[in-house]
Amino acid sequence: MTESSPALAAARDEVAAAVETMLDRLLPQPEGSTARLDEAMRYACLGGGKRFRPFLTVACGDLFGVPRPRSLRAGAAIEMLHGYSLVHDDLPCMDDDDLRRGRPTVHRAFDEATAVLAGDGLQAEAFAVLADPATHPDPGVRAELVAGLAAAAGARGMVGGQAIDLAAEVRTAAGRPLDYAEIAGLQALKTGALIRFAAEAGAVLGQALLEEKAVLRDYAAEMGLAFQIADDILDHEGTVAELGKAIGKDAGAGKATFVSLLGLEEARAKARALTTSAQARLDRFGPPAAVLQALAEFVITRRS
Amino acid sequence: MTESSPALAAARDEVAAAVETMLDRLLPQPEGSTARLDEAMRYACLGGGKRFRPFLTVACGDLFGVPRPRSLRAGAAIEMLHGYSLVHDDLPCMDDDDLRRGRPTVHRAFDEATAVLAGDGLQAEAFAVLADPATHPDPGVRAELVAGLAAAAGARGMVGGQAIDLAAEVRTAAGRPLDYAEIAGLQALKTGALIRFAAEAGAVLGQALLEEKAVLRDYAAEMGLAFQIADDILDHEGTVAELGKAIGKDAGAGKATFVSLLGLEEARAKARALTTSAQARLDRFGPPAAVLQALAEFVITRRS
């Protein structure tokens, strides 16, 4: 496996385009007196993003022969949930960010109240998409998807992780930044829970064995942590032009990062070890898993 | 039917106590590094509120012999969704309220970031509860409940209604307040959608006929509008001591209300006509529907 896989790049481009089309179709069309809200929800989700989570759902679904229209719907729902979390994380009372993906954040492009509501609406729409019979004819599969997304999104998932992250800032300001285990635990909730579910959702749609679901969750957990370590390394090394957001912000605020805690070399080694382990878990699926193994490689070698 | 029904009062007290117990059990227990978030979620939902929506779910479920543990779980999920909407509506960038049910609002008792996250977490937990097999053994019922709640909560439901309400303030400031049809349309989304679903959920749990679900939705739609008209009348007449919130705020801001648009007498007559119609819809269910008919009466005769 090379660091840059042409097959992966082509697969990611194809899925990203299909996800964009699906999101465009599923998100409410701007209409009447809710037009501003509708525009904000679309602005938050369309025209940007790596589409990393929906790609995971689609590629994991492919392992079990899941029809693309189903995995793309589930992937789009997960991307709506992800989009809502970014809108709320960027709010003045949270991370107070003006830029996201090189564009004004939703509360800057619209206003703060619309940003809160757009996030709220995106979360509801994500569940609406999963509960729709078009996502899977078996209601048991739909209910399992909803339960999985709700767990990944809630107080013991993404929202809990964000709350811990806010509390960490208070600790940092008091001179007691988090240690490695605490940051890894925080990330396992804040970003890991949804990444694990994105992979598992492909297996749920494929009505895979419990054991297969667990393997994909574990693969995604290791890749997700490697992703965050790589993010910290990029943040440490990056430039404004490459990332489209203020650089070194986390480090500049005295906040503990994987790089500040482990040092650059050990952080790189840790990301590599996680990636190798994640890739090995997929050997049981044989050649069809090559694209997911290449994705894990990409996560730690990307430049943005 | 008298204005104050002892049977209704007893039934409401019983359900309110059971909802409190169910919410206490279903909401995450304060724990470890998410304790502050957990506390905020519990603060938002426990120890207050009329429990109007869960009572609707339980009383409608009773018509079809739905076991109480199921209708109470669904009712608690709906109350979590309602609680989240109040937390976000009270935020400084929205209605900027300091008091709710006579207590500091969540962003005043905790902080703004925690209030945003507590609302986000409550929405996720609501879906988690509905998707759980304990709510109903048939996954088709669970998926239908999730789809119904998501529709009631989203851009064409509660969140859309709140967005229209915010836009209405801009129009009011520009000297063009909403007319009756526009306010009724706004309320049908902002509060009506969840009230309709609360009634329908009882029928969904009871695997009732499509027609029975429609009758309960229509009953709840009329009662929900009567509820809002009665709210405006109470706001017009009320005192701080009775309501536990700043009085005359809506009217004082030059905002159109049902009272300002219709006048007090016509508003009363409209609420009465809606209530009578809502009650008549339930005749098909016979004596077991008496408590729901008394509820409709209560909605327009309550003093707070």
Side-chain angles (χ1 to χ4, degrees):
Chain A
M1 191 179 313
T2 60
E3 282 192 2
S4 99
S5 154
L8 172 65
R12 290 186 68 225
D13 287 348
E14 183 198 343
V15 171
V19 167
E20 183 80 11
T21 302
M22 184 61 84
L23 283 168
D24 180 50
R25 220 181 73 198
L26 294 175
L27 288 164
Q29 290 295 329
E31 190 182 281
S33 46
T34 60
R36 187 175 171 84
L37 168 71
D38 304 331
E39 293 284 11
M41 289 171 64
R42 301 176 69 83
Y43 180 87
C45 290
L46 296 177
K50 290 187 277 286
R51 309 303 188 199
F52 175 65
R53 292 159 189 77
F55 181 74
L56 260 183
T57 304
V58 170
C60 289
D62 285 353
L63 293 179
F64 307 99
V66 174
R68 283 283 177 97
R70 294 181 189 171
S71 54
L72 284 167
R73 284 182 62 95
I78 292 166
E79 193 71 358
M80 288 181 196
L81 206 294
H82 175 57
Y84 123 64
S85 77
L86 299 182
V87 174
H88 282 192
D89 285 2
D90 286 338
L91 285 170
C93 68
M94 304 275 242
D95 296 348
D96 195 14
D97 276 315
D98 294 334
L99 286 177
R100 164 75 60 186
R101 298 168 185 163
R103 299 187 308 171
T105 47
V106 174
H107 68 275
R108 299 291 288 176
F110 294 82
D111 58 80
E112 208 177 323
T114 300
V116 171
L117 289 175
D120 290 345
L122 284 171
Q123 178 164 200
E125 296 305 322
F127 287 106
V129 169
L130 292 185
D132 190 299
T135 299
H136 200 283
D138 183 337
V141 168
R142 303 200 299 275
E144 186 175 347
L145 289 173
V146 168
L149 185 65
R156 296 295 178 264
M158 201 178 71
V159 165
Q162 177 69 1
I164 298 172
D165 203 10
L166 291 171
E169 286 177 29
V170 178
R171 278 189 47 182
T172 300
R176 294 181 299 118
L178 304 193
D179 62 23
Y180 174 80
E182 289 173 319
I183 294 217
L186 182 167
Q187 291 296 353
L189 295 182
K190 183 175 173 174
T191 59
L194 192 57
I195 290 174
R196 290 195 298 278
F197 174 68
E200 184 180 11
V204 172
L205 285 166
Q207 297 175 287
L209 302 174
L210 275 180
E211 196 195 332
E212 293 169 321
K213 294 176 192 171
V215 166
L216 289 177
R217 271 202 312 273
D218 292 343
Y219 151 81
E222 290 179 327
M223 183 172 59
L225 182 53
F227 186 100
Q228 289 305 321
I229 296 174
D231 245 12
D232 281 357
I233 295 172
L234 281 169
D235 188 61
H236 181 80
E237 296 180 332
T239 67
V240 172
E242 267 183 307
L243 283 171
K245 64 172 181 176
I247 283 301
K249 194 176 169 191
D250 290 349
K255 194 170 170 177
T257 70
F258 287 114
V259 174
S260 74
L261 285 167
L262 301 176
L264 193 55
E265 284 320 301
E266 203 187 324
R268 282 211 182 96
K270 182 75 191 167
R272 158 54 53 206
L274 286 164
T275 297
T276 302
S277 171
Q279 290 169 326
R281 291 180 189 278
L282 300 183
D283 287 344
R284 65 178 285 161
F285 295 113
V291 72
L292 286 164
Q293 291 170 321
L295 180 69
E297 195 70 27
F298 170 76
V299 153
I300 62 164
T301 54
R302 70 204 156 99
R303 299 303 309 156
S304 70
Chain B
M1 190 181 310
T2 60
E3 283 193 3
S4 97
S5 154
L8 172 65
R12 290 185 68 226
D13 287 348
E14 183 199 342
V15 171
V19 167
E20 183 82 11
T21 303
M22 184 62 84
L23 283 168
D24 180 50
R25 220 181 74 198
L26 294 175
L27 288 164
Q29 289 296 329
E31 191 182 281
S33 45
T34 60
R36 187 175 170 84
L37 169 71
D38 303 331
E39 294 282 13
M41 290 170 65
R42 301 175 70 82
Y43 180 88
C45 290
L46 296 177
K50 291 185 278 285
R51 310 304 190 197
F52 175 66
R53 292 159 190 78
F55 181 74
L56 260 182
T57 303
V58 170
C60 288
D62 285 354
L63 292 179
F64 307 98
V66 174
R68 282 284 177 96
R70 293 181 190 172
S71 55
L72 284 167
R73 283 182 61 94
I78 291 166
E79 193 72 358
M80 288 180 195
L81 206 292
H82 175 56
Y84 122 65
S85 77
L86 299 181
V87 174
H88 282 192
D89 285 2
D90 287 338
L91 286 170
C93 68
M94 305 275 242
D95 297 346
D96 195 14
D97 276 313
D98 294 335
L99 286 177
R100 163 75 60 187
R101 298 168 184 163
R103 299 188 306 172
T105 47
V106 174
H107 67 276
R108 299 290 288 176
F110 294 82
D111 57 81
E112 208 177 323
T114 300
V116 171
L117 289 175
D120 291 345
L122 285 171
Q123 178 165 200
E125 296 305 323
F127 287 106
V129 169
L130 292 186
D132 190 299
T135 298
H136 199 284
D138 183 335
V141 169
R142 303 200 299 274
E144 187 176 348
L145 289 172
V146 168
L149 184 66
R156 296 295 177 265
M158 200 178 72
V159 164
Q162 176 69 0
I164 297 172
D165 203 10
L166 291 171
E169 287 177 30
V170 178
R171 278 188 46 181
T172 300
R176 293 181 299 119
L178 304 193
D179 62 22
Y180 174 80
E182 289 173 319
I183 293 216
L186 183 168
Q187 291 296 353
L189 295 182
K190 184 174 172 175
T191 59
L194 192 57
I195 290 173
R196 289 194 300 277
F197 174 68
E200 184 180 10
V204 172
L205 285 166
Q207 297 174 287
L209 301 174
L210 276 180
E211 198 195 331
E212 293 168 321
K213 293 176 193 170
V215 166
L216 290 176
R217 270 201 313 272
D218 292 343
Y219 152 80
E222 290 179 326
M223 182 173 58
L225 183 53
F227 186 100
Q228 289 305 320
I229 296 174
D231 246 13
D232 280 356
I233 295 172
L234 281 169
D235 188 61
H236 181 80
E237 297 179 333
T239 67
V240 172
E242 269 182 305
L243 284 168
K245 65 172 181 177
I247 284 300
K249 195 176 169 192
D250 291 348
K255 195 168 168 177
T257 70
F258 288 113
V259 174
S260 74
L261 285 167
L262 301 177
L264 194 54
E265 285 320 301
E266 204 187 323
R268 283 210 182 97
K270 182 75 192 167
R272 158 54 52 206
L274 285 164
T275 298
T276 303
S277 172
Q279 291 170 327
R281 291 181 188 277
L282 300 183
D283 287 344
R284 64 179 286 160
F285 296 113
V291 71
L292 287 164
Q293 291 171 321
L295 179 69
E297 196 70 27
F298 169 75
V299 153
I300 62 164
T301 54
R302 69 203 157 100
R303 297 304 308 154
S304 70

